[in-house]
DNA sequence: TAGATTGTTAATCGATTAACAATC
DNA sequence: TAGATTGTTAATCGATTAACAATC
């Protein structure tokens, strides 16, 4: 999923204060804990046990304690974790104390939705620039931002210090966009286009892929159906295989028009 | 991520022809292979080696062969895999030979984008019903489908044999929607709302969470920055921690308005 | 002190990978 | 046959989990 170096790996020259080396699985859960902690804080909790936080986050408490142990020790035996302290600690580890400029490339259906996304309008991320390849869309204003032509990416990247690129273009355009982002110095990419991106070492790519998620669910539905007799929803109908058909799930665009 | 039983686990009473027991990691990659295979087919390839397919899918060939070995043996030593045969095999394992009815709950910004998603309009998935809690939105027509009130979920679920529920509501509404979906017999849920859902055993939940993806990227950016001196995009500016601030990334809606 | 809860240990499990014998 | 490539083995790695000693 994510293509990246593990810069904290043992053996590198130690010129910087060693950052804790977190397992990827832990990194992926910290944002979930953080969200649960914010909810707890809103509800007036000053302290929470590993059991309480784990259940709010939907994991078991052993895993939670193991994860938090990688950050150092921030709990009190017999008491639990101080909610505000733990929030600060996780935000610090995730680098959320910096505000990162996000570029959104592709302002189709999905791009429009993402441009209005509240998650962007947070302290840690601000959507700083919009791009599209369609001249008809360039100049359009969305949420107070003007859409640039994608060829301006390099220039704007420098001006706005773009740190993260979000690709919401058709699959056919995504690799070229990724190349442009990388050339512009962006080393973190979130890809909504249904395709594999190839990027140089040191660039992180994460992907969000609706078709893949649906197909994984389909697998488990299929399993459940073949085990329990007939399912609640029921298999709508069996499709006859017609070789040569159009691919069932390979849309031209990240989100079609 | 996914909460589900492993129905094919050893030890169950064997009343059905045993389905191959696939590792979750393999299941998650099969859709990627499938997409790559469709591209190869479009480009006229009749045969592909594990090396060729692996590189198109962005994995190494050992992993690909291992994954495919779980499906049985469909390659020819010295030659490779027949593209069409392998497509058929993967589609069959993923249950993509059935057409599944998808319910989309929440037709805000994101919901609208998803309703137009080409991945839904495939042979394996058809978007069969739209729901919203906002009376002002009920009755609206999107892509040829009328928006129902969410209270009609149970009735429509039976009529349309809904198999998969996609939640694109605000976080605050998501759990109630999930409960209604489960009550209506839906056992596969794709959750775009930024919250943890709790569902009974036997129900699969997969989540797509933009804020989490951004925060994971942020972690690696942070790492890269602290290692290599200053990054290309540069840390825009350091935020002062103001305890009591609004949560940085816990939007009220899956995609805000 | 007694009860509660953390942080850590060690066992287990699942996933990845390289190497290579089998075989087309 | 010789070259190519699969399917499988076995070693390695990372993640999960339960249990419990440490300690508030």
């Amino acid at each position: 999923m994510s293509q990246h170096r593990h810069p904290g790996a043992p053996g590198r020259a130690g010129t910087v204060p060693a950052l804790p080396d977190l397992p990827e699985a832990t990194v992926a859960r910290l944002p979930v804990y953080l969200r649960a902690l914010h909810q707890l804080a809103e509800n007036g909790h000053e302290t929470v046990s590993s059991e309480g936080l784990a259940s709010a986050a939907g994991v078991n408490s052993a895993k939670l304690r193991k994860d938090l142990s990688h950050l150092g020790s921030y709990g009190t035996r017999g008491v639990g974790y101080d909610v505000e302290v733990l929030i600060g600690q996780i935000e610090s580890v995730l680098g959320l104390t910096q505000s990162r400029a996000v570029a959104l490339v592709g302002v189709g259906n999905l791009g429009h939705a993402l441009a209005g996304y509240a998650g962007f309008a947070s302290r840690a991320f601000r959507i700083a620039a919009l791009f599209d390849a369609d001249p008809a869309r360039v100049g359009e204003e969305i949420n107070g931002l003007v859409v640039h032509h994608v060829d301006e990416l390099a220039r704007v990247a420098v001006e706005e210090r773009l740190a993260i690129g979000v690709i919401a273009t058709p699959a056919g355009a995504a690799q070229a966009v990724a190349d442009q982002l990388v050339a512009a110095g962006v080393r973190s990419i979130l890809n909504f286009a249904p395709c594999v991106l190839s990027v140089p070492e040191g660039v992180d790519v994460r992907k969000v892929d609706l078709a893949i998620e649906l197909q994984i669910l389909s697998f488990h539905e299929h399993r459940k159906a073949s085990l329990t007799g007939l399912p609640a929803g029921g298999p709508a109908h069996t499709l006859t295989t017609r070789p040569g058909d159009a691919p069932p799930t390979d849309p031209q665009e990240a989100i079609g028009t």
Side-chain angles (χ1 to χ4, degrees), chain A residues 127-176:
Chain A
I127 189 156
L130 305 177
F131 300 91
D132 205 292
D134 182 356
R137 282 207 149 111
V138 172
E140 182 184 348
E141 186 169 318
I142 301 173
N143 258 33
L145 286 171
V146 173
V147 177
H148 295 97
H149 191 272
V150 74
D151 288 342
E152 301 203 66
L153 223 161
R155 180 179 63 77
V156 179
V158 174
E159 283 177 18
E160 300 281 347
R161 295 162 156 271
L162 298 178
I164 297 178
V166 175
I167 300 180
T169 65
Q175 181 63 58

Side-chain angles (χ1 to χ4, degrees), chain A residues 51-113:
Chain A
E51 193 60 58
L53 180 52
S55 102
V59 303
N60 73 44
S61 64
K63 192 186 285 184
L64 174 90
R65 285 199 301 279
K66 184 77 168 173
D67 283 339
L68 295 187
S69 76
H70 292 295
L71 309 186
S73 295
Y74 296 96
T76 307
R77 289 164 142 101
V79 178
Y81 300 87
D82 181 287
V83 172
E84 288 297 338
V85 167
L86 196 48
I87 286 176
Q89 185 51 217
I90 294 179
E91 287 185 345
S92 155
V93 167
L94 292 177
L96 303 179
T97 52
Q98 315 253 120
S99 174
R100 295 177 205 280
V102 176
L104 173 57
V105 187
V107 292
N109 259 343
L110 175 64
H112 264 88

Side-chain angles (χ1 to χ4, degrees), chain A residues 9-71:
Chain A
R12 68 190 163 81
T15 53
V16 244
L19 295 183
D21 209 354
L22 299 187
E24 264 307 299
T26 297
V27 172
R29 281 187 296 264
L30 290 180
V32 180
Y33 302 155
L34 186 57
R35 182 179 288 153
L37 285 164
H38 279 303
Q39 278 166 0
L40 288 164
E42 268 176 54
N43 296 340
H45 292 75
E46 294 187 352
T47 251
V48 66
S49 68
S50 64
E51 193 60 58
L53 180 52
S55 102
V59 303
N60 73 44
S61 64
K63 192 186 285 184
L64 174 90
R65 285 199 301 279
K66 184 77 168 173
D67 283 339
L68 295 187
S69 76
H70 292 295
L71 309 186

Side-chain angles (χ1 to χ4, degrees), chain A residues 165-233:
Chain A
V166 175
I167 300 180
T169 65
Q175 181 63 58
V177 168
D179 294 344
Q180 285 174 285
L181 284 167
V182 170
V186 172
R187 284 168 311 170
S188 295
I189 294 176
L190 181 52
N191 181 30
F192 284 86
C195 64
V196 174
L197 294 182
S198 100
V199 295
E201 193 162 290
V203 176
D204 266 308
V205 176
R206 297 195 60 88
K207 69 163 184 261
V208 171
D209 195 314
L210 179 53
I212 286 178
E213 298 301 327
L214 287 176
Q215 291 180 26
I216 295 170
L217 286 174
S218 172
F219 170 82
H220 292 296
E221 275 285 308
H222 193 46
R223 272 303 182 79
K224 286 182 260 188
S226 70
L227 277 173
T228 61
L230 280 196

